[in-house]
Amino acid sequence: MSWRLIGCSVVVAILAADLPLARTGNKKFDYLFGATLGTTVLQAIRFLLLVRPLEEYRHEADKVPAYQLPFIQRYFWLFKMTNSPRGIGWSFKSSLIPVDPRHRTRASFIASRLQWLFSHYLLLEAATLYTRCNPVFLSEASVTSQGYVLQCLNVAAIPCQLYALLTCVHCTLAVLAVGANLDEPQAWPQPFGHWKNAYTVRKFWGKTWHQMSRHVSARISKPKEREPWGVTYRRLCYAFMCSAFMHVCGDVLLQFRIWDDFSSTSTSGTTAVPNIIGYSAPYFILQPVGVLVEDAIIEVGKRMGLKESTWTRMVGYVWVWVFTSYSLVFSMDALKNAAQAGYLTGEGAGARATLIEMVADRVFGVQLAAVMSSWLSRM
């Protein structure tokens, strides 16, 4: 145990030392990279302290336990295992991972993933165009300042970018792996679940949103069967605390960028440097509260004789949307304003034109960015 603790400490120290040095020049990618480093910290704790992968885990293709493999094969076994966050083909695979039974052949799978790649790339471009043209994302105005309808669009824009980006990357890798005959189509289920399941906050996180970090947080929170409800909610809080930690690491990386920018541009020590560390946490800390509230309401409904139906699901969709649209506001405002100050060159009017803009300009002769900026500035 002592050597494992030392090894884990060394890995965490290396990752912490990498945070101040990691730069991409793009605030969204910087944030994602910081969150990835935070996820890696939790993975180090999981694999070096909480489990013994060589003894406890097995791949479906394993013929002997991994600890009996030669060193080189064991190395690649561990590499593949640590790069399988959802456990596809492994003994720790989650039963909640979406399964798409429609794909019978490689050709049909590749065709479907190319369709997804194209549609989600358009979604990514649309969300990017919206954030680039909306003055809320280029100033210190709150995302709530344009009324509730645009507030919903404002808080959804950046998560939509993340959703579309992860889907595009996943589809690209899936097409390459399946097309090169390295994997079977079954090894690449969709990265996100079905949106029809997101009628409660619990189901949104458990079945719809991506499961890339599910095993990290679940293992650290030590789930057990037939737990008392108090233990279950405490474990749920631990899981969301892990999610908050991952995203706060993104805050930290942005904070180093802000410090660098202010130290290089400020000529006096009187300039107030915005603090961004911890602003991602409130959203994730609020999620167990939302789950507790909805569980209480569902229990009251059951005792009143209500059964799940289309109407109860419709109410659930509205509840999840309203809860998310308000719980995201504080973190979104704080991160947006601090990041805008830290990336002085910005990604506003000088950013590259999106595919949607180029099509609108060349086909219809419409300067879409100018039209959207003009309309949104009046809201």
Side-chain angles (χ1 to χ4, degrees):
M1 180 65 180
S2 59
W3 287 108
R4 298 174 70 191
L5 180 61
I6 293 172
C8 182
S9 301
V10 170
V11 172
V12 172
I14 293 173
L15 293 171
D18 192 38
L19 269 176
L21 306 176
R23 295 288 187 277
T24 67
N26 181 293
K27 55 191 172 187
K28 297 182 183 69
F29 285 116
D30 280 354
Y31 182 85
L32 287 176
F33 189 70
T36 301
L37 291 178
T39 304
T40 308
V41 169
L42 295 181
Q43 283 186 324
I45 295 173
R46 171 193 175 190
F47 292 132
L48 294 177
L49 296 181
L50 301 181
V51 299
R52 293 180 177 272
L54 295 174
E55 290 83 7
E56 297 181 28
Y57 294 157
R58 294 201 67 171
H59 189 267
E60 60 187 13
D62 288 349
K63 297 180 179 179
V64 297
Y67 61 84
Q68 296 180 5
L69 295 173
F71 175 78
I72 296 298
Q73 294 183 30
R74 195 161 65 243
Y75 172 83
F76 284 105
W77 186 94
L78 287 169
F79 178 82
K80 189 173 183 178
M81 184 267 297
T82 55
N83 286 279
S84 300
R86 298 191 293 171
I88 306 297
W90 294 86
S91 58
F92 57 88
K93 175 186 175 181
S94 171
S95 60
L96 298 177
I97 293 176
V99 177
D100 192 345
R102 294 175 300 171
H103 305 115
R104 303 294 183 183
T105 65
R106 292 180 183 273
S108 62
F109 175 83
I110 292 173
S112 70
R113 288 301 179 262
L114 289 176
Q115 291 175 355
W116 270 64
L117 178 61
F118 178 72
S119 62
H120 284 76
Y121 179 74
L122 290 181
L123 176 62
L124 176 62
E125 292 277 270
T128 301
L129 176 63
Y130 181 82
T131 57
R132 193 161 61 84
C133 295
N134 194 331
V136 162
F137 293 95
L138 304 174
S139 66
E140 294 187 359
S142 172
V143 294
T144 64
S145 62
Q146 296 173 309
Y148 182 70
V149 174
L150 286 185
Q151 173 185 333
C152 292
L153 291 177
N154 292 341
V155 299
I158 293 178
C160 275
Q161 287 179 297
L162 174 61
Y163 166 74
L165 179 62
L166 287 177
T167 302
C168 287
V169 172
H170 187 273
C171 288
T172 301
L173 295 175
V175 168
L176 293 175
V178 175
N181 204 25
L182 297 175
D183 281 323
E184 295 295 325
Q186 293 78 9
W188 291 89
Q190 298 174 4
F192 293 84
H194 299 293
W195 288 100
K196 67 179 181 181
N197 293 324
Y199 54 89
T200 66
V201 176
R202 181 188 291 274
K203 289 183 182 294
F204 168 77
W205 288 107
K207 292 188 175 182
T208 300
W209 199 243
H210 73 80
Q211 305 292 304
M212 300 301 179
S213 58
R214 179 181 183 86
H215 287 289
V216 177
S217 57
R219 185 68 195 192
I220 289 178
S221 57
K222 296 182 179 179
K224 297 179 180 178
E225 296 182 358
R226 298 180 181 179
E227 296 174 327
W229 72 269
V231 177
T232 299
Y233 282 110
R234 185 174 63 188
R235 177 167 57 81
L236 185 70
C237 290
Y238 289 158
F240 279 109
M241 286 173 61
C242 291
S243 295
F245 170 79
M246 298 175 201
H247 291 80
V248 167
C249 288
D251 298 353
V252 173
L253 197 150
L254 290 182
Q255 186 69 61
F256 278 109
R257 171 62 185 263
I258 291 171
W259 286 333
D260 289 346
D261 278 1
F262 271 78
S263 63
S264 61
T265 58
S266 178
T267 57
S268 65
T270 59
T271 304
V273 180
N275 175 51
I276 196 175
I277 298 176
Y279 283 169
S280 291
Y283 171 66
F284 295 97
I285 293 174
L286 284 173
Q287 300 310 300
V289 178
V291 173
L292 180 62
V293 169
E294 70 185 15
D295 281 357
I297 294 174
I298 290 172
E299 183 62 28
V300 171
K302 288 180 178 178
R303 296 188 179 187
M304 293 174 60
L306 293 178
K307 296 182 179 180
E308 184 176 315
S309 65
T310 301
W311 289 108
T312 59
R313 290 194 177 195
M314 293 298 295
V315 172
Y317 293 133
V318 174
W319 149 250
V320 173
W321 183 262
V322 172
F323 176 75
T324 302
S325 68
Y326 281 104
S327 60
L328 259 177
V329 167
F330 174 79
S331 296
M332 188 74 70
D333 277 344
L335 288 171
K336 171 182 69 68
N337 296 340
Q340 191 66 30
Y343 290 73
L344 301 178
T345 55
E347 297 162 335
R352 69 166 182 86
T354 63
L355 177 63
I356 297 175
E357 290 176 80
M358 292 188 287
V359 171
D361 184 21
R362 295 181 181 180
V363 177
F364 302 102
V366 177
Q367 298 291 329
L368 191 57
V371 173
M372 288 184 60
S373 296
S374 176
W375 178 70
L376 290 169
S377 62
R378 295 196 298 267
M379 300 302 291

